[in-house]
Amino acid sequence: MNRAPPLAWAGLLLDRPLVMGILNVTPDSFSDGGCYATPEAAIAAGAAMREAGADIIDIGGESTRPGAAPVSAAQEIDRILPAITALAAQGAVISIDSRNAATMAAALGAGARIINDISGLTHDPAAAALAAKRGCPVVLMHTRGTPATMNTQAHYTDTAAEVLAELTQLRDAALAAGIKPEAIALDPGLGFAKLGAQNLTLLRATARFKALGHPLLIGLSRKKFIGEFGGEPNPAKRGPGSIAAGLYAVAQGAHILRVHDVPETVQALRIWQNLTASENEPSF
């Protein structure tokens, strides 16, 4: 099913790389856990991301870092709804980062427009039907196992080929559930059931994932492999390496970068766009 990706996704033009700002309303996310755990802090942070140029604000109420324990949908909903309601009212494009259909439904009811599911709509049996019924855009990410077990399942003979095949299966299952092709974006799931150099292998294969014919989201911000290869153990200080890797992904065809460092990424992309635009034709 190779085809050119659509000119727009989730009502957003894909004529330039999009920035998805990460807003974790959690106490235990790997990089920013606890920073935005109150509604006031989360709303302020989301508004600042939008002001800085984020096209999408991705709001999550459950940490899915390696080894994280699950939380109930009720707790997840309590965490996310104040921020979603307030930021959607301000005009922000909101995606809900969740594996749970009840959370997805509550978020969409509060004004979220996009479902971003790390399990590719497989964790909750009701998720795919919900997305199809609502007709909303979805991001299908590749992983194996659960956050608690995924690092034990990072065994591949051919990392890029196997992830590509498994992500294609997720896409085909979503189509079979009634989700429209133009609603689907794909994410190879860097850091999720991938260790060390496996992530570099996937980044080098970005064009192969783009060839599936859907918008391609890359989420590598501040992840462990950035620190591993960039020599930085502190996740909060991995912004430069994250931007470098993100620009590489965009140059290979990625459409959306999911990032913590929104102003810095937006600035870097603007320079990249102008350098790669035709002479005398600035891209913004």
Side-chain angles (χ1 to χ4, degrees), residues 176-242:
I179 297 172
K180 295 181 179 179
E182 60 270 22
I184 296 173
L186 301 175
D187 177 354
L190 299 175
F192 285 80
K194 291 95 182 173
L195 302 177
Q198 292 170 342
N199 297 286
L200 301 185
T201 296
L202 290 180
L203 275 174
R204 295 187 188 107
T206 296
R208 294 173 65 181
F209 290 95
K210 180 188 177 184
L212 289 173
H214 300 273
L216 182 63
L217 184 150
I218 297 293
L220 50 76
S221 183
R222 301 185 184 179
K223 288 187 175 178
K224 184 177 180 180
F225 79 95
I226 298 292
E228 179 180 350
F229 293 102
E232 179 50 72
N234 184 348
K237 295 183 179 180
R238 295 174 187 163
S242 300

Side-chain angles (χ1 to χ4, degrees), residues 1 3 11 23 40 83 115 146 215 223 236 276 278:
M1 187 179 171
R3 56 187 177 81
L23 184 55
E40 295 78 12
I115 292 172
T146 67
K223 288 187 175 178
T276 56
S278 300

